[in-house]
Amino acid sequence: MSLALKTATSLVVLLPRPKLSCLSLTRTVVVPLHSHRPAKTLIRTTTPSFQSIVCAPMSTQQVFHVRDKIELSDTEKSIFDRLLATLRHFQLQTQLRVAGGWVRDKLLGKDCYDIDIALDNMMGAEFVYKVKEYLLSIGEDVQGVCVIECNPDQSKHLETARMRLFDTWIDFVNLRSEEYTENSRIPSKQRFGTAEEDAYRRDLTINSLFYNINTDLVEDFTKRGISDLMSGKIVTPLPPKATFLDDPLRVLRAIRFGARFGFTLDEDLKGAAACDDVKDALAAKISRERIGAEIDLMISGNQPVKAMTYICELTIFWIVFSLPPVFEPDISDGCERLCISFLDTAWNLAHLLGDSTFTAEQRRLTLYAALFLPLRNITYTEKKAKKIPVVNHIIREALKRKAKDAEMVLDLHRASYKFLSLIPCLSSAEDVQIVDRDWMTDLIDVPVSSRVRVLTGFLLRELRDFWCVALLISTILHPIDINSTEDESSQLDKRRDLFNTVENSIIKLGLEKVWDLKQLVNGKDVMNALQLKGGPLVKEWLDKAMAWQLAHPSGTTEECIEWLRQTNSKRIKLE
């Protein structure tokens, strides 16, 4: 019977008799529906779907809802049906297993579109071409067939074949067993492995589960993947130190999954992650690109504060966010905890303001900017004796993120200080004038009553859509009146109210989309009006013209040009 036509069976776990007092288990004999092989003795859980399973009697630990069967979507049924039909068409004895994250997420009742299929007796490319041949034989289109070659320099140690089925990308690899050299993540020996060997070489037990497409069964070769999923534990299949020394990036993956699912890091795992040997290996063996990719997933995830807290607790903060050899001033002890405190405030404030306030990209860069706020005044010197913020080094070198990410975070740090000088004016119902301003000091031609609008307008034109992010950062930095009886929630409410007040003032000034404002005059107009031949003076006068335009929102082009002539004439006379 085709998998696409049958209903999902109860979750069946390929295990010997495990000693799991937390589960109600019955022994049963299940005959695989897609083959005529002898029946296997299996263990089946008897709990209903979505029922909480307590894995430790009389325990108060958190429990997690785990489905007792994998429910396939219509698209997944169609995909797996085509793959099984390929096996039948070519009379192949290959076992097809979906590996890792898809199995985990489906058991947790989460959607997952990342389908990785492991083959037990052939390379991924060989099978993909057979699928292609079968699809063409039944008159179906074939999309996106490609082979991604091994590339150790990019940490790609296994050939992967890829194709698109029913608008879903599927990756195909062979089951493998790998051995590594002492100081490298490039496998020194690689061969076809068994499903059990493949399961044990994975990072975490919850990621070592397989879904056997041939038999419609979940396979747990480590004998604890299901139970760790139920009890919410982050555990390695093999001893954690050996697992981390084989691939130190697994430390960050353990942190990321622990934070993402709200799972608890195993104590032995934490001890191994924090030991000097593993920390040295993380610093020496793993490319900065891979470290940065993991951190980006944490920052973009659902629990960035928890992830960064784990990084701090495991004493790898300065390994991950490595600094240049020489910088000034010195970083105070406990600075990493202050970084996380700023991150926590930004995360909570962003949620308090509403998820619709920021896009995903704005939220990601908000959190980076908040995390590195305590480092904003620390610099290092380049070869050309130019002082550069260490935040630039962390983002571009330690994490190997895009240059534009570093530039935006630095812009947000600088802009937040400009906003700080504007907040008293924008948040007050009274006519408060700007004090202690060290930017745009040449506004002598702008009426005093219009200077707040002009300065705010220029700042927003510089930041564009990210002005709300800079406002949030400056709101975190802005001192607020704190009553000794107030808790953190009350303080957060005050910062939210301050943000909303300033935002409303900006909207009342008509500046919320000021970067879309078309300038009344252009460079040619300036040159004609002031008889200039070009050069930096044109840019200076264009800025003055924009300042006049912001101060006179109803002004016309003719009025602006006349003001330029009069102002220039006055200056010539003074000279």
Side-chain angles (χ1 to χ4, degrees), residues 463-520:
L463 292 166
R464 302 178 69 85
D465 286 322
F466 277 79
W467 70 267
C468 280
V469 176
L471 175 56
L472 183 144
I473 298 298
S474 63
T475 302
I476 295 173
L477 293 170
H478 192 271
I480 57 173
D481 294 329
I482 299 176
N483 189 305
S484 59
T485 62
E486 289 180 333
D487 57 13
E488 291 183 8
S489 177
S490 299
Q491 296 174 31
L492 204 61
D493 287 342
K494 286 188 175 182
R495 296 195 187 278
R496 176 202 57 196
D497 294 343
L498 178 62
F499 179 98
N500 288 334
T501 298
V502 174
E503 181 185 37
N504 289 333
S505 293
I506 289 171
I507 292 172
K508 287 179 181 178
L509 289 171
L511 296 174
E512 69 271 21
K513 287 286 186 179
V514 70
W515 55 90
D516 290 334
L517 180 66
K518 184 178 179 180
Q519 191 151 359
L520 291 174

Side-chain angles (χ1 to χ4, degrees), residues 429-448:
E430 301 176 1
D431 185 16
V432 178
Q433 297 303 314
I434 300 174
V435 296
D436 298 330
R437 174 171 53 87
D438 58 0
W439 53 288
M440 290 192 70
T441 56
D442 58 343
L443 291 180
I444 56 174
D445 298 315
V446 175
V448 173

Side-chain angles (χ1 to χ4, degrees), residues 48-76:
S49 298
F50 294 101
Q51 181 175 337
S52 295
I53 300 174
V54 183
C55 290
M58 305 302 292
S59 171
T60 58
Q61 73 180 69
Q62 187 175 1
V63 294
F64 294 85
H65 297 285
V66 177
R67 292 189 172 187
D68 63 359
K69 62 183 179 181
I70 282 186
E71 298 179 359
L72 301 178
S73 67
D74 291 340
T75 298
E76 290 164 343

Side-chain angles (χ1 to χ4, degrees), residues 2 9 28 42 45 54 98 106 113 120 137 157 174 186 228 248 261 264 287 300 309 313 338 355 401 431 471 474 478:
S2 167
T9 63
T28 184
L42 304 164
T45 62
V54 183
V98 187
K106 295 292 282 189
Y113 305 100
D120 68 340
S137 74
H157 306 303
N174 59 284
I186 300 175
D228 287 338
F261 295 116
T264 302
S287 71
S300 302
T309 301
E313 289 177 353
L338 186 58
D355 292 338
R401 298 294 87 195
D431 185 16
L471 175 56
S474 63
H478 192 271

Side-chain angles (χ1 to χ4, degrees), residues 265-496:
L265 300 189
D266 177 70
E267 289 301 318
D268 289 340
L269 180 150
K270 290 197 289 186
C275 79
D276 289 340
D277 289 344
V278 171
K279 290 195 290 186
D280 290 344
L282 178 61
K285 291 174 65 173
I286 303 302
S287 71
R288 284 287 152 180
E289 288 83 358
R290 295 180 75 201
I291 290 175
E294 284 295 324
I295 296 301
D296 216 49
L297 288 171
M298 295 179 201
I299 290 292
S300 302
N302 62 332
Q303 290 292 337
V305 179
K306 187 170 185 176
M308 294 304 112
T309 301
Y310 275 142
I311 286 175
C312 186
E313 289 177 353
L314 297 179
T315 65
I316 59 174
F317 191 90
W318 298 117
I319 292 174
V320 171
F321 304 110
S322 61
L323 298 166
V326 180
F327 53 85
E328 60 178 5
D330 291 337
I331 293 176
S332 60
D333 291 340
C335 180
E336 63 270 32
R337 291 188 290 275
L338 186 58
C339 290
I340 294 169
S341 177
F342 275 113
L343 175 67
D344 184 44
T345 302
W347 173 254
N348 290 324
L349 183 55
H351 276 279
L352 197 59
L353 290 168
D355 292 338
S356 62
T357 305
F358 305 101
T359 66
E361 179 68 358
Q362 288 171 341
R363 186 163 51 250
R364 182 179 74 91
L365 291 171
T366 296
L367 297 181
Y368 273 124
L371 179 66
F372 299 136
L373 264 178
L375 307 175
R376 62 193 179 278
N377 295 322
I378 300 174
T379 61
Y380 68 103
T381 304
E382 276 193 335
K383 294 179 181 178
K384 297 180 180 179
K386 182 180 179 182
K387 288 190 174 183
I388 308 292
V390 295
V391 173
N392 180 75
H393 176 90
I394 292 173
I395 296 175
R396 299 190 63 176
E397 302 301 329
L399 302 180
K400 291 295 183 182
R401 298 294 87 195
K402 297 176 182 177
K404 68 177 184 179
D405 283 356
E407 291 166 2
M408 179 53 71
V409 169
L410 294 178
D411 285 346
L412 290 172
H413 284 174
R414 287 187 287 262
S416 64
Y417 276 89
K418 294 179 181 179
F419 249 129
L420 276 174
S421 66
L422 293 171
I423 283 178
C425 309
L426 294 169
S427 61
S428 175
E430 301 176 1
D431 185 16
V432 178
Q433 297 303 314
I434 300 174
V435 296
D436 298 330
R437 174 171 53 87
D438 58 0
W439 53 288
M440 290 192 70
T441 56
D442 58 343
L443 291 180
I444 56 174
D445 298 315
V446 175
V448 173
S449 60
S450 301
R451 286 184 183 177
V452 171
R453 188 176 197 277
V454 171
L455 289 167
T456 306
F458 269 99
L459 182 55
L460 267 60
R461 284 175 69 85
E462 174 188 331
L463 292 166
R464 302 178 69 85
D465 286 322
F466 277 79
W467 70 267
C468 280
V469 176
L471 175 56
L472 183 144
I473 298 298
S474 63
T475 302
I476 295 173
L477 293 170
H478 192 271
I480 57 173
D481 294 329
I482 299 176
N483 189 305
S484 59
T485 62
E486 289 180 333
D487 57 13
E488 291 183 8
S489 177
S490 299
Q491 296 174 31
L492 204 61
D493 287 342
K494 286 188 175 182
R495 296 195 187 278
R496 176 202 57 196

